[in-house]
Amino acid sequence: ISFHCVPEVDNSQMLDVMLSGVSFGEFNTIKTRYATMISAFFRTQKWEGSMLDFGLAHEKAYMLYFSGAPGATITQHGVPQTPVQSFNLTTAGWSWIGHPIFESVDINSGLELLSGSFSQYDVIKTRYGPDVFSAFYDADSGTFGGTLSTLSPTKGYKVYTKHPLSF
């Protein structure tokens, strides 16, 4: 998942504010990747873990393990990111990015490279329930192909690049 809005509160309070109103079970988990994996666990009616030091960010993707009722909704609290900042993938390898804008973006026409370039077989992927959608870059055609064609609001994405780049 990703968040359009992030509350303007101290990082240690951010999960409680953003995820209030959702019935989490013991050891439900939210995690993301910075230089390393960080996470928080819901335990005895509160969030614990390293993510409390980092808070939530517009540009990040999050994996959420939720054991509650299907169809539960997370109501976002806070301010949107305006203007939308670029994604700086400063190292090669896997990064987790969010989609902090309110519109879907076509992967082949909506991503504006600010520096660097995509390389053969760079990949963008996401998961929705048990289904995984992926797009692989073809350097010959200069386009992505696969089962993922659009970046959508509230979705999170894993991006693999062979070289650092910004978009």
Side-chain angles (χ1 to χ4, degrees):
I1 65 173
S2 64
F3 298 106
H4 298 291
C5 301
V6 174
E8 293 181 313
V9 296
D10 182 71
N11 285 346
S12 64
Q13 300 171 338
M14 201 170 287
L15 288 174
D16 288 327
V17 171
M18 179 62 87
L19 302 176
S20 65
V22 180
S23 297
F24 287 94
E26 284 289 303
F27 297 105
N28 282 191
T29 308
I30 186 169
K31 61 184 175 178
T32 192
R33 177 173 287 287
Y34 279 82
T36 62
M37 189 70 68
I38 62 167
S39 60
F41 304 91
F42 194 74
R43 191 168 155 220
T44 59
Q45 300 303 309
K46 66 179 183 174
W47 289 98
E48 299 177 1
S50 59
M51 190 174 290
L52 298 179
D53 296 330
F54 291 85
L56 301 170
H58 296 100
E59 70 275 5
K60 288 292 182 188
Y62 298 90
M63 290 182 72
L64 179 64
Y65 169 71
F66 176 65
S67 63
T73 301
I74 296 173
T75 302
Q76 297 189 27
H77 304 276
V79 294
Q81 182 184 36
T82 319
V84 175
Q85 298 175 352
S86 61
F87 294 101
N88 296 305
L89 309 179
T90 56
T91 58
W94 287 102
S95 299
W96 292 19
I97 65 168
H99 186 69
I101 60 176
F102 295 98
E103 311 169 341
S104 294
V105 173
D106 182 275
I107 288 179
N108 287 309
S109 63
L111 295 181
E112 179 185 345
L113 282 172
L114 302 174
S115 69
S117 60
F118 287 107
S119 300
Q120 184 74 14
Y121 303 122
D122 281 357
V123 65
I124 301 172
K125 67 181 185 174
T126 192
R127 170 179 220 112
Y128 187 73
D131 301 319
V132 176
F133 302 93
S134 302
F136 296 89
Y137 190 74
D138 176 23
D140 292 335
S141 68
T143 61
F144 283 93
T147 56
L148 178 66
S149 60
T150 305
L151 302 181
S152 300
T154 71
K155 300 279 189 284
Y157 299 89
K158 292 182 180 180
V159 179
Y160 178 84
T161 58
K162 291 181 183 163
H163 306 287
L165 55 85
S166 296
F167 60 93

